[in-house]
Amino acid sequence: MLVYFLVILITYLTALMIKFKNLTKKWTFLDIFILLILIIFSGIRFNVGTDYEIYYFIYNNIVSSNFSLDDYNATTQEFGYYVLSWITKRISDSPYGIFWASAFLTYIPIYVRIKKDSKDFAFSILLFFLLGLYTGPFNTIRQWIAIAINFYSLQYINTDKKKFLLFNIIGSLFHSTCIIAMIIQLIAKKVKPTFTMLIGILIFGIVFVMLFGRMSFLFEILSNINPRYTVYFEPQPGGTGSILLFVLRVIIVLYLLFFTKYNEYQYEKTLLMISLFFMMLGFYNVFVQRMEAYFGIVLVLLLPNILCRMKSIERWMYKYYFTIVFLVVFIFSLIFYANLIPYKTYIM
């Protein structure tokens, strides 16, 4: 477990250097250094993460260096991820190449967006780890590539709809859920974050969870698109951890509603509320809960940007409280969630 905190410490201290040297609007070797740490630590891991073995097997036993639609169909994965695997095979003989390529496509878009839009760069980088945004891709590789691309695309939702749509189409080539997230994000532009909306989402979530297992027509539609996605409709509850994370998210949403101005970051607060709905679906099926990351990821920018408007003493107080809470959550996630420890590499 200590190796995770060593990575966090080195990365956070480097981010502080960038912040205090006023380099947040410039790209320097310090940014490259952080990205190298993120990519290397992910790329050299061995059998860390729940889906590692299946991705390793498919990459080394089904995908070849010759482009083949038969290989693509045999992977039962999205076309973009197959192309990424094929290109990686052409470039490298390493049996672990796909994990390097996936890390590259995941962490760079997220980092670039944080670098551009965070008003407290170092705190955003710290939250990037403590919110599980760094270790999340260790488990759901394809979906996190899509989440990263979607997160990057959100900067264009108001200014350049074509870029927003294009990036999400690309993201959907790695995981189909990206299109669903994009549609919801577009609809969310017309919704205002209010206490009434929060209550409505909670009620709707409860009703939906109760009816979720009875929606047989969704089974049929999904099985026609891709039989693998029927797993999203089987009862596989997330457990106590999912409930505690949901309660924490509700508390954060309430904090934002009561202690920020109504017209501040309305869209981000709306997305955060939407994330609650998918967290509730996780009470029935933990795989559906993964959808919340498309919306909950905004916390990595939202909290730092809101706190930076506070007076110094108040800002540091809240930063301290949030850091402690998320640190506890992160530690528990390492211990109990998704085969993250012990951390092993294939080079030692």
Side-chain angles (χ1 to χ4, degrees):
M1 183 188 298
L2 290 178
V3 67
Y4 284 100
F5 290 99
L6 179 61
V7 170
I8 293 173
L9 180 62
I10 294 173
T11 307
Y12 179 59
L13 290 176
T14 306
L16 283 174
M17 290 178 61
I18 292 174
K19 177 182 176 180
F20 291 134
K21 289 180 177 291
N22 293 318
L23 298 174
T24 54
K25 301 304 178 184
K26 301 178 183 178
W27 277 77
T28 69
F29 74 94
L30 293 175
D31 297 292
I32 304 302
F33 177 68
I34 289 177
L35 283 172
L36 285 175
I37 291 176
L38 300 180
I39 293 171
I40 291 172
F41 188 71
S42 177
I44 64 174
R45 76 187 193 279
F46 176 73
N47 203 23
V48 176
T50 52
D51 295 342
Y52 188 97
E53 290 185 1
I54 186 64
Y55 280 106
Y56 180 88
F57 176 83
I58 291 174
Y59 182 70
N60 288 283
N61 293 278
I62 297 179
V63 178
S64 69
S65 57
N66 296 316
F67 185 87
S68 168
L69 290 179
D70 289 335
D71 287 353
Y72 160 61
N73 291 326
T75 66
T76 69
Q77 296 174 334
E78 282 82 359
F79 186 70
Y81 188 77
Y82 167 72
V83 171
L84 177 66
S85 301
W86 168 66
I87 292 174
T88 306
K89 277 269 188 177
R90 300 278 297 180
I91 295 174
S92 171
D93 294 329
S94 171
Y96 309 100
I98 190 57
F99 299 105
W100 288 84
S102 298
F104 185 90
L105 285 185
T106 302
Y107 298 123
I108 289 180
I110 294 176
Y111 186 86
V112 170
R113 176 81 194 281
I114 290 175
K115 175 85 173 179
K116 178 178 180 293
D117 290 338
S118 177
K119 296 181 180 178
D120 188 341
F121 175 72
F123 190 45
S124 284
I125 292 298
L126 182 60
L127 289 179
F128 170 66
F129 286 101
L130 300 187
L131 292 172
L133 304 180
Y134 178 64
T135 50
F138 285 19
N139 298 305
T140 52
I141 295 175
R142 293 176 5 265
Q143 189 167 22
W144 264 98
I145 295 176
I147 292 168
I149 295 172
N150 173 265
F151 177 64
Y152 179 82
S153 76
L154 278 173
Q155 65 185 302
Y156 298 114
I157 194 167
N158 291 320
T159 60
D160 195 331
K161 284 289 195 304
K162 290 182 179 179
K163 282 186 178 180
F164 175 74
L165 293 172
L166 176 61
F167 278 117
N168 280 285
I169 290 171
I170 294 172
S172 70
L173 295 177
F174 293 92
H175 207 275
S176 305
T177 55
C178 190
I179 290 294
I180 299 174
M182 179 194 73
I183 293 171
I184 295 173
Q185 287 164 349
L186 286 170
I187 295 173
K189 290 296 298 179
K190 303 180 182 299
V191 180
K192 302 299 181 183
T194 63
F195 187 76
T196 302
M197 176 190 171
L198 174 61
I199 297 299
I201 284 179
L202 296 180
I203 294 174
F204 183 63
I206 292 172
V207 173
F208 204 87
V209 169
M210 293 173 63
L211 299 176
F212 198 44
R214 302 178 182 180
M215 298 180 180
S216 58
F217 68 95
L218 289 177
F219 282 82
E220 297 177 6
I221 295 174
L222 218 58
S223 63
N224 291 330
I225 297 174
N226 192 328
R228 181 171 50 82
Y229 285 122
T230 56
V231 70
Y232 284 80
F233 290 87
E234 299 170 358
Q236 299 185 56
T240 304
S242 296
I243 296 173
L244 293 176
L245 288 174
F246 169 76
V247 171
L248 176 60
R249 183 66 58 82
V250 171
I251 293 172
I252 293 173
V253 170
L254 289 172
Y255 164 80
L256 294 173
L257 286 177
F258 286 116
F259 295 100
T260 63
K261 296 178 181 179
Y262 172 74
N263 59 353
E264 281 188 322
Y265 299 102
Q266 286 188 334
Y267 184 59
E268 288 79 5
K269 288 187 281 191
T270 298
L271 294 182
L272 205 59
M273 288 187 190
I274 293 172
S275 75
L276 292 173
F277 172 74
F278 290 103
M279 295 183 82
M280 294 178 73
L281 294 188
F283 301 160
Y284 178 84
N285 184 294
V286 68
F287 295 103
V288 182
Q289 189 180 42
R290 296 173 177 177
M291 281 291 296
E292 76 84 16
Y294 283 105
F295 311 96
I297 193 174
V298 298
L299 266 176
V300 77
L301 293 175
L302 182 58
L303 277 181
N305 289 357
I306 286 176
L307 295 183
C308 77
R309 296 188 176 189
M310 297 180 177
K311 295 180 180 179
S312 180
I313 296 178
E314 187 180 14
R315 180 173 67 250
W316 282 103
M317 180 183 69
Y318 279 112
K319 285 175 67 173
Y320 173 79
Y321 290 149
F322 281 124
T323 299
I324 294 299
V325 170
F326 291 133
L327 177 61
V328 172
V329 172
F330 179 69
I331 291 173
F332 275 100
S333 73
L334 290 180
I335 296 173
F336 297 110
Y337 176 67
N339 195 32
L340 293 175
I341 56 174
Y343 177 83
K344 296 170 288 185
T345 76
Y346 62 80
I347 60 176
M348 295 180 62

